[in-house]
Amino acid sequence: MMTTILIADDHPLFRAALKQAVMASFTDANIHEADSLSGLEELGHKSLPFDVILLDLHMPGTHGFSGLIYLREQYRKVPLVVISATEDVDVIQRAIHFGADGFIPKSASVETMTEAMKKIMAGERWLPEYARRAMPPTLPDHSAMSERITSLTPQQFRVMGMLMEGMQNKVIAYELDVSEATIKAHMTAIFRKLGVRNRTQAVLALKDLAIEPPSVDSNP
């Protein structure tokens, strides 16, 4: 059977490298690509039967771990693998805690990516060796916030992301081509579902799910 794989990353060069690794692992792979969460959702609306999703935590619209939590709920039965240039042990551990089935650093060689993909598709969880050694028996419990995020509708999640970026209601309304009254209604629902009263409290509540962007290395 053909393996359908989604590569969700906003960097074309890395998508090309990952595509090469995927094709080395699965010669019959049917590969789809998305460069944003909205692009991923458009493919999802077509009811494509993904066998695995490869997700960049910094892709537009994902907003760190909140995007991972949201997508884990949307695709419960699909292996979801994080690919990231942020390779701190803490980030890897939290990605697994929030539902990722594996974590592939962007610094990995094509050979390592190929090995990781084969193991993940065989039902194994793959992490870099240094992260496996450091994995603690338990991690902090974020289940309450996870449940709140997964209760959001797709449009509410998009609005929440724009809120986190500091956009005002009228700007969000313009970007989504809806009325400002509609955005206010979404905000009210978001605050209620997150258990907060206003924008400031919402940003603070979601702060722990954010991830600092990777530092720029001038000598990759």
Side-chain angles (χ1 to χ4, degrees):
M1 295 179 62
M2 183 175 292
T3 302
T4 302
I5 298 174
L6 172 60
I7 300 175
D9 189 286
D10 62 326
H11 293 88
L13 291 178
F14 183 74
R15 286 203 308 271
L18 193 54
K19 189 173 182 178
Q20 181 182 349
V22 169
M23 293 177 68
S25 304
F26 309 95
T27 55
D28 64 343
N30 179 22
I31 301 173
H32 295 269
E33 300 180 36
D35 61 4
S36 65
L37 181 64
S38 60
L40 189 160
E41 289 180 322
E42 286 179 12
L43 291 173
H45 291 158
K46 298 178 182 178
S47 299
L48 294 174
F50 299 126
D51 293 299
V52 64
I53 296 175
L54 306 175
L55 175 71
D56 178 15
L57 291 174
H58 292 287
M59 183 177 69
T62 55
H63 308 291
F65 292 117
S66 59
L68 171 60
I69 293 167
Y70 176 76
L71 291 171
R72 177 72 288 167
E73 176 67 17
Q74 301 299 310
Y75 297 92
R76 293 185 181 183
K77 298 181 179 180
V78 181
L80 200 162
V81 182
V82 168
I83 49 176
S84 181
T86 303
E87 303 177 12
D88 296 343
V89 170
D90 175 66
V91 171
I92 297 174
Q93 291 172 348
R94 294 174 74 196
I96 298 302
H97 175 63
F98 288 125
D101 297 290
F103 191 105
I104 302 175
K106 287 191 173 183
S107 63
S109 65
V110 171
E111 291 75 19
T112 298
M113 291 182 187
T114 300
E115 173 196 354
M117 285 297 302
K118 287 181 177 178
K119 290 188 175 181
I120 289 167
M121 291 302 293
E124 297 182 37
R125 183 167 68 182
W126 192 93
L127 306 175
E129 179 60 32
Y130 67 89
R132 288 197 291 270
R133 291 195 304 266
M135 184 66 72
T138 60
L139 288 167
D141 184 11
H142 294 282
S143 57
M145 181 54 69
S146 295
E147 290 176 4
R148 291 170 182 171
I149 289 175
T150 55
S151 72
L152 298 174
T153 66
Q155 188 75 326
Q156 288 168 358
F157 186 83
R158 282 189 286 271
V159 172
M160 183 193 77
M162 293 178 175
L163 179 158
M164 292 171 66
E165 293 172 5
M167 294 186 183
Q168 297 301 310
N169 288 358
K170 62 181 179 181
V171 178
I172 297 174
Y174 176 81
E175 291 291 330
L176 297 180
D177 194 24
V178 297
S179 70
E180 190 169 349
T182 297
I183 297 303
K184 288 181 179 178
H186 281 317
M187 287 291 182
T188 298
I190 291 168
F191 296 159
R192 174 176 53 80
K193 289 182 177 181
L194 294 183
V196 300
R197 295 182 178 180
N198 53 46
R199 282 172 163 265
T200 300
Q201 289 183 356
V203 171
L204 290 175
L206 295 165
K207 184 178 180 181
D208 287 343
L209 299 179
I211 304 174
E212 290 295 323
S215 58
V216 178
D217 187 348
S218 59
N219 296 297

